[in-house]
Amino acid sequence: MIQFPSAEAEIAGLTRFLSDSEGPADLRARAERLVLKLSHPVRVAFLGPPSSGKTELAGFLVGEKLSLPDANSGHRPPLILSYAETPSARAGWWDGKELAVPPRDLGIAYRARPDFVELRLPNPILKLINFIDMPGLDKLQWQAEQVRWTAARAEVLIWCTHAAWAWNAEEDQLWSLVPPKLQKSSLLAVTHTDVTLAVITLDKTLERLRSVALPKFREMVTMATPAAAAAAPGGSVQDVAAWDAAGGRAMVGKLLAAARAVREADIETARAFLAEVAIQPSEVSELEPGLETASPPASAAAVLRDDLQRRLDDLVALASEDGEFRMEAFLTRSAELAEALGEDLTAPGALTEEGAWVQDEMKAAAAELGHLLEKGGMAACLDAAGIILQLGRDLGWALPHLEEG
């Protein structure tokens, strides 16, 4: 199995910074986010149309046969697969409520209509990766909302496409909602390659996918999941030749390589942060009398980051005030945030072509927040908070693409 690099030294350095430093709040927030990322497994989510083999592939990767309700026949929230020394499961709600359920009867969890279900298993791969199995939805609007929600939370995506009708126009449209950086960390899984119709046309299908789809992913893998699972019952490979032929080795290897690349990038980010904060003002020698230095101009990324942080702090302070929550003021400032950042992004030279997708997201968000302001009420405030959270994530992807000023 591919080994992940240790982040212990970086976590120790970040922890030392947090314990010793009384520095700016934005630096402490960045350090806390890095510690959180480096202390947890890489988050990998499965997406794709209904019946594209997402749950089956997730089960193969953890050595389990997962039996879940049809997403379109009732309530089917995301399934999280994580590590534990002994199997356990729970139904969970975003407000912190949870219900322990038997790990071999997830139906009990789903009947409780939770926000998510978590199944903990003693599979070593789950020490490195947490999986999120998203339900297949049949309406394009629901799928688009699901893609945005998942892209804001996952670090690697596995898009499952059925080999018999692989990568149609709707799939291409939905994938365009994924930020480019996340696309390049993700895998395209061509599933059901053992179905008769798929076998007949597989060579031509793969040739087409290499041209129209693969450039939008890190890697492409073909999978006959039932055969791969049969060759590795319980996650232990018994028939190496069959496992290889079904795509098992390629899937596991390419997935671990993608996750490792994410973790390596996180470690490099942590090292850059530690280098940034290593020189404290007290360590800078005093200038000779009469000598002055001019501060370098702030980069476009720094200006945007500072503006976003200031406005978010304003929203948090407003929501934290004692007394009655002022809904209209919260909605007004949320709309102002999106409009102001939208103007910053359209400034000449602010974005490269690769980062230009954020402008469209910002415009759409500003329009939606304007509608919510007109609507008013607590439900509108909750929707606005979700939009602001997504904007922060979008800018997180966009900032590396900003031209340095």
Side-chain angles (χ1 to χ4, degrees), residues 320-332:
S320 303
E321 288 178 357
D322 293 334
E324 185 177 355
F325 176 56
R326 293 186 290 153
M327 293 182 285
E328 184 176 353
F330 182 85
L331 291 169
T332 298

Side-chain angles (χ1 to χ4, degrees), residues 46 53-68 79-89 102-106 119-126 131 133 225-226 228-230 232-236:
F46 297 87
K54 299 180 293 297
T55 300
E56 187 176 49
L57 181 55
F60 159 73
L61 288 169
V62 298
E64 294 284 331
K65 184 173 177 59
L66 303 174
S67 180
L68 307 179
L79 172 66
I80 300 171
L81 299 168
S82 60
Y83 179 81
E85 292 185 1
T86 58
S88 63
R104 300 303 176 189
D105 189 0
L106 294 182
L119 176 61
R120 304 184 184 102
L121 299 166
N123 189 312
I125 196 173
L126 294 172
F131 293 111
D133 177 30
T225 309
S236 176

Side-chain angles (χ1 to χ4, degrees), residues 161-169 171 190 205 208-209 212:
T161 186
H162 196 300
W165 48 82
W167 202 253
N168 57 36
E171 290 181 72
V190 186
T205 296
R208 178 175 62 85
L209 291 177
V212 302

Side-chain angles (χ1 to χ4, degrees), residues 139-355:
K139 292 187 178 180
L140 184 60
Q141 179 182 352
W142 294 352
Q143 293 178 36
E145 293 173 358
Q146 182 189 75
V147 169
R148 292 191 181 97
W149 186 93
T150 309
R153 290 159 176 81
E155 297 169 279
V156 175
L157 298 176
I158 299 178
W159 185 275
C160 295
T161 186
H162 196 300
W165 48 82
W167 202 253
N168 57 36
E170 285 190 356
E171 290 181 72
D172 190 68
Q173 179 182 347
L174 290 168
W175 190 247
S176 71
L177 302 175
V178 176
K181 183 177 179 180
L182 181 55
Q183 288 185 354
K184 290 302 183 181
S185 297
S186 299
L187 305 180
L188 175 62
V190 186
T191 59
H192 301 288
T193 56
D194 50 349
V195 175
T196 302
L197 179 60
V199 171
I200 295 173
T201 61
L202 186 59
D203 288 343
K204 290 185 178 179
T205 296
L206 294 179
E207 182 180 357
R208 178 175 62 85
L209 291 177
R210 291 187 188 98
S211 173
V212 302
L214 181 55
K216 303 171 185 178
F217 290 84
R218 173 188 171 94
E219 297 271 12
M220 181 173 71
V221 187
T222 59
M223 280 296 298
T225 309
S236 176
V237 179
Q238 303 297 319
D239 187 336
V240 175
W243 191 63
D244 285 350
R249 184 188 299 274
M251 171 55 70
V252 173
K254 291 182 179 181
L255 171 59
L256 287 172
R260 179 190 171 100
V262 168
R263 181 47 40 88
E264 288 174 338
D266 292 338
I267 290 174
E268 287 303 315
T269 300
R271 289 173 180 168
F273 175 87
L274 291 171
E276 177 184 343
V277 300
I279 301 178
Q280 301 298 329
S282 61
E283 298 174 320
V284 180
S285 60
E286 293 184 2
L287 296 173
E288 295 181 12
L291 292 180
E292 297 180 356
T293 59
S295 300
S299 68
V303 171
L304 266 173
R305 186 182 297 112
D306 291 346
D307 192 24
L308 174 63
Q309 187 62 54
R310 177 178 61 80
R311 292 176 182 276
L312 288 177
D313 289 345
D314 186 33
L315 279 176
V316 171
L318 179 65
S320 303
E321 288 178 357
D322 293 334
E324 185 177 355
F325 176 56
R326 293 186 290 153
M327 293 182 285
E328 184 176 353
F330 182 85
L331 291 169
T332 298
R333 293 185 192 179
S334 297
E336 290 173 350
L337 182 151
E339 291 177 1
L341 292 177
E343 291 177 1
D344 290 341
L345 289 172
T346 56
L351 286 171
T352 64
E353 292 183 3
E354 187 180 7

